[in-house]
Amino acid sequence: MFRIKRIAAVAVGTLLIAGQALAADKKVVAVSIPAADHGWTAGIVYHAQAAAKEINAAFPNVEVIVKTSPSATAQVSALEDLSARRKLDALVILPHTSEELTTPVKAVKDAGTFITVVDRGLNDPSIQDLYVAGDNIAVGRNTAKFMIDKLGGKGNLVVLRGIPTVIDDERIKGFQDTIKGTSLKILDIQYANWNSDEAFKLMQDYLAKYPQIDAVWANDDDMLLGVLEALKQSGRKDIKLALGGNGMKDIVKKVIDGDAMTPVETPYPPAMIKTAIYMTVANLIGQAPVRGTVKLDAPLITRENAKEYYFPDSPF
């Protein structure tokens, strides 16, 4: 989180300097993000709207427009509408899905728009000018390392995936690559779409299908909530660990309280959208060219350091 604040502070400082020489033409920055369909995206919406309010108030030559979309199809339509109505100087986008948004974003890029992609990468990375994300490989890797240590390198696992995106693929790769060579066995791995209700149903299926499960990994905390409710209702005593990822405040609180089943967490802060917006605006008006990748760390959150990652007033 310190690293996010530091990056954002640099971008803000650059913008304040630029305020002495505002350009005559207003720059338009479109921000296209998923609607708040679960906790993490609620955090994304919160931080995107906060960034837009701050920038629009501070810089009269910049207009940041935030558009939320409930599905990939709706997001494609929103992009088409935004680009048809206005000339977009920059687009900051968190794609619903990588596959469905790659071609529409390329069309916006081809019109001369600066493209910042957040979190869920596109299938063609050459489209993006700037990419801001967490370290998804590390989210999977650090979780797997803890499981290996805690379970002594052996046991039966079930895994819940999110939705088909680059970041989901990376988390799974980090996890699977790390448990190679151990006696940890993945009994089943299916998508639950980063949704608590779907995760609850999938975990019920896993419990009915497999009489011995030692640990569960839901690679997102919204799914972990569904998993934990299913475990609670089942009364099963064989599951030793149920871990998630993203840094939801409810899960970090469990770590603080020393919860035996969920003793650790990995962060993936939704505030990254705010960092991305500020950096994009700095590129447009602050004579601060930004290109490439900003990757945020994903250190293991333990009881010893959990208070550093606990923000009870945040929406996530």
Side-chain angles (χ1 to χ4, degrees):
M1 183 59 69
F2 172 77
R3 188 175 175 186
I4 298 175
K5 291 179 179 177
R6 183 176 61 190
I7 294 169
V10 172
V12 171
T14 305
L15 292 176
L16 290 174
I17 293 171
Q20 303 300 317
L22 297 177
D25 297 329
K26 179 170 285 194
K27 302 291 185 181
V28 178
V29 180
V31 179
S32 176
I33 54 179
D37 57 358
H38 64 288
W40 194 83
T41 51
I44 287 289
V45 173
Y46 172 84
H47 289 293
Q49 291 176 339
K53 182 178 180 180
E54 293 162 7
I55 292 170
N56 290 341
F59 303 99
N61 68 323
V62 178
E63 182 179 4
V64 179
I65 304 167
V66 178
K67 178 66 176 178
T68 63
S69 302
S71 67
T73 301
Q75 192 172 29
V76 171
S77 297
L79 284 183
E80 293 172 347
D81 182 62
L82 286 167
S83 58
R85 289 172 176 266
R86 305 285 294 274
K87 178 188 180 299
L88 302 181
D89 295 283
L91 169 67
V92 180
I93 182 167
L94 196 162
H96 252 284
T97 62
S98 303
E99 183 175 356
E100 291 177 86
L101 271 299
T102 293
T103 298
V105 174
K106 184 179 186 303
V108 177
K109 167 79 169 181
D110 291 343
T113 303
F114 183 92
I115 303 296
T116 297
V117 177
V118 183
D119 180 46
R120 305 171 191 174
L122 300 172
N123 287 352
D124 180 2
S126 69
I127 297 171
Q128 65 207 23
D129 296 293
L130 175 66
Y131 180 55
V132 179
D135 190 342
N136 286 291
I137 294 287
V139 169
R141 181 178 63 242
N142 291 340
T143 303
K145 284 181 178 179
F146 181 82
M147 279 193 176
I148 292 169
D149 180 64
K150 197 71 174 178
L151 298 176
K154 60 183 179 180
N156 293 328
L157 313 178
V158 291
V159 176
L160 291 82
R161 303 191 65 163
I163 61 177
T165 57
V166 171
I167 67 168
D168 183 80
D169 292 340
E170 289 177 345
R171 290 186 184 189
I172 296 301
K173 175 177 171 55
F175 188 86
Q176 290 180 323
D177 286 353
T178 304
I179 67 172
K180 284 180 181 177
T182 73
S183 295
L184 290 176
K185 178 184 179 183
I186 297 179
L187 300 175
D188 214 330
I189 177 170
Q190 296 183 40
Y191 289 99
N193 299 309
W194 289 326
N195 181 277
S196 182
D197 291 337
E198 292 187 42
F200 174 77
K201 294 174 183 176
L202 178 55
M203 192 64 219
Q204 285 186 316
D205 291 342
Y206 283 164
L207 291 168
K209 189 175 180 181
Y210 303 106
Q212 176 62 42
I213 299 172
D214 294 290
V216 185
W217 182 43
N219 75 9
D220 165 88
D221 288 333
D222 284 283
M223 293 193 298
L224 179 59
L225 294 180
V227 166
L228 292 173
E229 181 60 29
L231 294 180
K232 179 182 177 181
Q233 292 188 19
S234 74
R236 289 270 292 264
K237 303 298 182 183
D238 50 315
I239 294 92
K240 304 174 183 68
L241 293 173
L243 304 181
N246 277 357
M248 177 187 282
K249 63 183 180 183
D250 295 343
I251 304 304
V252 176
K253 185 63 165 60
K254 286 181 176 292
V255 176
I256 292 173
D257 293 341
D259 189 274
M261 188 169 290
T262 309
V264 296
E265 170 69 323
T266 48
Y268 199 83
M272 67 177 70
I273 189 71
K274 193 172 190 179
T275 300
I277 295 169
Y278 267 103
M279 292 184 71
T280 301
V281 174
N283 177 77
L284 287 180
I285 70 168
Q287 295 182 323
V290 290
R291 296 290 191 283
T293 298
V294 176
K295 185 169 285 189
L296 309 173
D297 292 340
L300 201 66
I301 299 173
T302 66
R303 195 173 188 183
E304 287 68 33
N305 67 0
K307 288 184 179 179
E308 298 176 31
Y309 299 90
Y310 184 54
F311 304 98
D313 294 330
S314 75
F316 180 76

